[in-house]
Amino acid sequence: MKKILVLNSGSSSLKFQLFLDEESVASGLVEQIGEKISNAQLKFADKKIEKKEELKNHEEALKIVSLMLKEAGFLNEFSELNAVGHRVVHGGEDFIKATKIDNSNIEKLESISSLAPLHNPANIAGIKTILNLAPNVINVAVFDTAFHQTMPEYAYRYAIADEFYTKDSIRRYGFHGTSHEYVSQKAAEFLGVKQLNAISAHLGNGASISAIKDGKCVDTSMGLTPLEGLIMGTRCGDIDGGALFFMARKHNLSIDELDKICNKKSGMLALCGANDMRDIEDNMQKGDEKSKLAFEMFCYRITKYIGSYLAVTPASALIFTAGIGENDNLVREKVCENLSHLGFEIDKEKNNIRSKEIRNIATSNSKYAILVIPTNEELSIAKQTMAFC
Ligand code: AMP
């Protein structure tokens, strides 16, 4: 039996899950790393272990994780693990698939941190800590960008001078790749096809859409950063670059202020004051016009992307996944209603059933399968990591 720890390290947090082969047996979270009091939590079966103490950095946080896993009886020390799978946000153009990271290539990984300065350094801190605490354990980096590396150049390039690409690596990369890949594999199994042609919509607080042709990504809505594309909880998605220049000049905004506005203070939050779709739909029920408009805009942007991706892939299925995609029947219904003239026909009864199972919510007349597939990025990272053991 293989013991795999999956780590998702953020700048001040650490999410983890322990797998015994493909079974998740424990999961937890360390928060407020670097602050006076950090909170650590481990959940397994119906039990919970909690700790509160000062954890200065990721190394101290991981030591607490090790201690909690010991207390729960899973392992005495990290060296008993077969491998650790690390979620790494950006793989640039060098890392096109899950990669074993050791002292021979960690510098190469560090060299692309400038592409995701808020995320990659924290991910790398997790890898370095494991290399330090348990040198015998295999470390595998699984990249959010990797699945999208099959996009053709005409899809991933921006129409700006060559040197911005050749020297600065500015191009579209796409994110949520682990999720798009996972659900597209599940869809292929479910539909019994070898080469999937589909459109997958990962709709959570962050949201992106991918066009999948013969099982490979040919286009995706996020770009150099996760800002491009759909309207999200707090991100604006597609916007005229000129509007940003205008805003900056008019309000004398710095680049950092603009960055914060677009990433943290825009999207659904800016449109209607809430970024959780459950709150937005409650407010719609109460007659709030701003929430209704925000909902329309959210679904319209998704509809437009699906339309454009139908033009570049011979899709026969639409996949909904992530928090909103899996749970929000109103969004699914609205998007499919917008697409009804193209032959999408949703079965309202099936759409309203809540379930954790993969399901087709299209009617038998629908030209396209409409699938709801729960994503599981941690399991996908565990499986990709296990392949190195
Ligand atoms: P994720 O980023 O995939 O964890 O998704 C989080 C988002 O999913 C939340 O912000 C909510 O907008 C949405 N969500 C979660 N559960 C539901 C639900 N039952 N109905 C509607 N939206 C939901």
Side-chain angles (χ1 to χ4, degrees), residues 202-206 275-278 280-281 321-329 354 375 377:
H202 175 110
L203 309 177
N205 203 27
N275 65 325
D276 189 307
M277 209 45 107
R278 286 163 290 198
I280 294 165
E281 287 165 11
T321 192
I324 297 169
E326 290 166 32
N327 299 302
D328 195 326
N329 51 338
R354 295 187 67 87
T375 194
E377 287 161 283

Side-chain angles (χ1 to χ4, degrees), residues 190-191 316-318 320 332 336 343-351 359-372:
F190 183 82
L191 298 170
S316 59
L318 168 63
F320 285 104
R332 293 192 302 251
C336 292
F344 286 81
E345 204 176 290
I346 198 166
D347 182 320
K348 289 189 183 170
E349 241 169 70
K350 286 185 186 161
N351 182 40
R359 55 206 190 275
N360 185 358
I361 55 169
T363 65
S364 52
N365 287 330
S366 180
K367 189 170 160 197
Y368 299 90
I370 305 168
L371 306 179
V372 181

